[in-house]
Amino acid sequence: MTEAKAHSSTGELPTIDPANLVEERLVLWYFLAGLGYLFVSFAGGLLMALQLVSWNPLQGSEYLSPGRWRMIHTNAVAYGFLANCFLASLHWSIPRLTLKPVLNRALSYFIFFAWQVVVLATAGGILMGQAQGVEWGETPWWIDPLALAGLALVAINFMAPIIQMKGPMYVSLWYYMAAFVWTFLTYAMGNFVPQYFVSGTSAGAVGGLFIHDLVGLFVTPLATGMMYYFVPIMLKKPVWSHGLSLVGFWGLAFFYPLQGIHHFLFTPIPDFLEYGAIVSTIAVEFVVMTVVINFFGTLWGSGRAIVTNLPIRWFYTGMVLYFVTCAQCALQVTQTFQKLIHFSDWVVGHAHLVMFGVFSIWFFGIMTYLMPRLLRTSWYSRNLCEWHYWLSAVGIFVMFLDLTLAGLFEGYYWVSLRPWQDSVDGVIGFWIVRLFAGLAMIAGQVVFLFNLWMTWRKSKNPAAATPAYAT
């Protein structure tokens, strides 16, 4: 592994060998693994959607029951798709930001294979009925120590080059370092505390913190740090305000850990904890506004890039939906809203908007940008890239709108104390629309995989290969 060679004595700039700085093969492997898990997640979501409209063709097997595949649906997208894509992007961005390789290349490959064992064992354990009773913490108890050890190795491997660098750190590295620590602590809290140390309402409170901290202290800081890395590079200009980016970082660090209990309003959990969660959640929305303003300030004067640059379009579509979902969150955590929408499809629509409409869409943008660079050729088809975008964006928007309306209808049915079956009959049309919106999202990813396959084949033909460029 070649280190950057500084010629401080002569005053020359450091000489960097980009080919040895980043292990590009591993970046590609992580993205491909992530895409594989995305389709596993889609299979679980599709099975659940078919069950809701009584069209499930796979009834009669407990291993194919929608209840178990619903857990695989959420775990595959969080620990399979998003985690693998994060690791790919970290392997790409951290060596470039620090001008140093990660701690150990062999360790990087070990982490890759170990993490796939964790994810596949989680899916197998859930199918065998060994899930733990914590939302997103269903990982069987015997996998938890291995997963936690893997998170520690990830932190050590990536923190080493960050700690060794000299001078001020770019804001992406602030987010990355915090995420390495927060993710380790969050995973330990959600998977060990309810299992071994507390029960009853205390376990419920910890479970609520875990659900939200997994989004806010694992996914959000890593994803935001990557946006601060990729957006200025593609727009070829610095971020609009470095000071505002730090306001967003410290706001997230201060307010986010407190808000998970807003999942359990009107429960035996003490009121002061519930009110604290409401206040901190609303405060986070102001923090989010600083992030969104900063990114649109960066785009100012380069708005044409939304049309011409597909990765930028992906990023800013996710940015708009990020603002929408956070604004929605500030409303739905109030007790007034909770009385109506709690346990309804509103919450399901909100979750899909966050995980697919924001974070998955950001990764589609990153992959659209990086895949041609990893394969050393431009995309096979720009039109197929456009189909990928529009099927995904329209699909998630329709699903979000549909489930939000379905949740409102369900809430009004329930508060009117009409028979439960009336609420089911009343929203069945929404569930059918949800099914077709999901099929559009799946179709978008099938198009993406076909385009990626053809691009890979093109890269193997030197005569047809063309230089990679921003799509």
Side-chain angles (χ1 to χ4, degrees):
M1 191 67 68
T2 302
E3 292 279 358
K5 298 174 181 176
H7 301 270
S8 56
S9 60
T10 61
E12 298 177 18
L13 292 174
T15 302
I16 306 298
D17 183 359
N20 290 322
L21 197 61
V22 175
E23 185 64 14
E24 294 189 358
R25 180 174 63 173
L26 197 54
V27 176
L28 183 61
W29 285 9
Y30 271 120
F31 278 134
L32 294 178
L35 287 172
Y37 293 120
L38 180 63
F39 277 88
V40 172
S41 179
F42 277 142
L46 183 60
L47 199 59
M48 194 69 206
L50 289 170
Q51 174 74 10
L52 286 173
V53 295
S54 303
W55 293 349
N56 182 5
L58 302 174
Q59 299 185 45
S61 169
E62 60 183 306
Y63 300 111
L64 297 174
S65 67
R68 295 187 184 184
W69 274 87
R70 188 259 177 199
M71 290 186 279
I72 291 178
H73 172 63
T74 54
N75 278 267
V77 79
Y79 303 119
F81 175 61
L82 292 179
N84 274 290
C85 289
F86 277 132
L87 289 166
S89 303
L90 290 170
H91 272 287
W92 180 272
S93 61
I94 286 182
R96 282 175 161 77
L97 285 166
T98 61
L99 299 182
K100 296 178 183 298
V102 297
L103 177 64
N104 187 285
R105 183 174 295 193
L107 178 59
S108 295
Y109 278 96
F110 174 77
I111 291 171
F112 172 81
F113 289 110
W115 192 250
Q116 310 321 313
V117 170
V118 167
V119 178
L120 292 174
T122 297
I126 291 173
L127 284 181
M128 298 300 291
Q130 299 177 3
Q132 293 185 74
V134 177
E135 176 79 20
W136 264 358
E138 295 94 348
T139 315
W141 64 269
W142 47 273
I143 301 174
D144 289 333
L146 178 61
L148 202 60
L151 292 174
L153 291 177
V154 168
I156 292 169
N157 205 28
F158 288 120
M159 290 276 270
I162 298 175
I163 292 173
Q164 291 172 19
M165 69 173 291
K166 294 179 171 56
M169 285 193 303
Y170 184 58
V171 66
S172 294
L173 296 176
W174 286 66
Y175 276 106
Y176 293 166
M177 286 202 304
F180 296 142
V181 177
W182 291 339
T183 303
F184 183 87
L185 296 176
T186 298
Y187 192 90
M189 175 185 69
N191 288 274
F192 291 96
V193 174
Q195 180 77 15
Y196 301 110
F197 300 107
V198 298
S199 59
T201 54
S202 299
V206 172
L209 289 172
F210 171 67
I211 295 169
H212 230 82
D213 287 354
L214 201 65
V215 176
L217 302 182
F218 159 49
V219 179
T220 299
L222 288 176
T224 308
M226 285 166 193
M227 286 302 98
Y228 274 117
Y229 172 77
F230 283 104
V231 169
I233 284 178
M234 274 182 264
L235 291 177
K236 296 182 173 56
K237 60 165 70 170
V239 67
W240 185 55
S241 169
H242 183 65
L244 208 54
S245 68
L246 292 182
V247 170
F249 172 81
W250 287 110
L252 183 78
F254 186 77
F255 290 114
Y256 211 103
L258 306 173
Q259 63 174 282
I261 293 174
H262 69 221
H263 285 269
F264 298 109
L265 303 184
F266 302 113
T267 66
I269 294 174
D271 282 350
F272 77 89
L273 289 176
E274 296 183 16
Y275 290 130
I278 293 171
V279 172
S280 66
T281 303
I282 294 172
V284 162
E285 312 323 322
F286 290 101
V287 174
V288 166
M289 285 183 65
T290 67
V291 176
V292 173
I293 289 171
N294 206 7
F295 277 106
F296 275 91
T298 306
L299 181 66
W300 189 261
S302 307
R304 180 70 182 165
I306 296 289
V307 178
T308 59
N309 190 316
L310 256 176
I312 287 293
R313 193 193 306 166
W314 280 110
F315 292 161
Y316 278 85
T317 300
M319 199 64 65
V320 171
L321 297 180
Y322 184 45
F323 176 78
V324 171
T325 191
C326 291
Q328 185 191 35
C329 200
L331 295 174
Q332 71 192 25
V333 297
T334 61
Q335 291 187 334
T336 305
F337 256 76
Q338 283 281 307
K339 288 177 182 175
L340 188 65
I341 58 96
H342 198 57
F343 292 132
S344 75
D345 274 313
W346 171 294
V347 182
V348 182
H350 175 70
H352 280 81
L353 189 67
V354 174
M355 300 306 284
F356 189 92
V358 180
F359 301 120
S360 297
I361 272 184
W362 280 350
F363 274 121
F364 296 147
I366 291 174
M367 283 190 275
T368 302
Y369 173 74
L370 285 186
M371 285 300 185
R373 287 158 176 79
L374 294 170
L375 297 176
R376 303 283 191 272
T377 187
S378 59
W379 280 104
Y380 166 73
S381 168
R382 162 80 189 207
N383 285 337
L384 290 179
C385 288
E386 291 280 356
W387 275 102
H388 177 213
Y389 171 82
W390 286 108
L391 284 169
S392 303
V394 173
I396 186 58
F397 182 73
V398 171
M399 179 179 283
F400 160 68
L401 197 62
D402 174 72
L403 290 176
T404 300
L405 290 173
L408 291 174
F409 274 83
E410 287 168 331
Y412 280 114
Y413 276 117
W414 297 340
V415 297
S416 67
L417 301 181
R418 295 174 64 174
W420 171 264
Q421 187 60 40
D422 284 2
S423 68
V424 176
D425 295 338
V427 299
I428 193 76
F430 290 104
W431 289 342
I432 293 175
V433 173
R434 163 200 171 140
L435 171 62
F436 285 98
L439 288 173
M441 293 155 60
I442 294 173
Q445 310 326 304
V446 171
V447 168
F448 180 61
L449 272 192
F450 175 74
N451 201 14
L452 184 57
W453 167 255
M454 295 303 291
T455 304
W456 176 79
R457 291 186 59 182
K458 179 182 166 188
S459 71
K460 298 301 177 186
N461 181 4
T466 54
Y469 56 87
T471 306

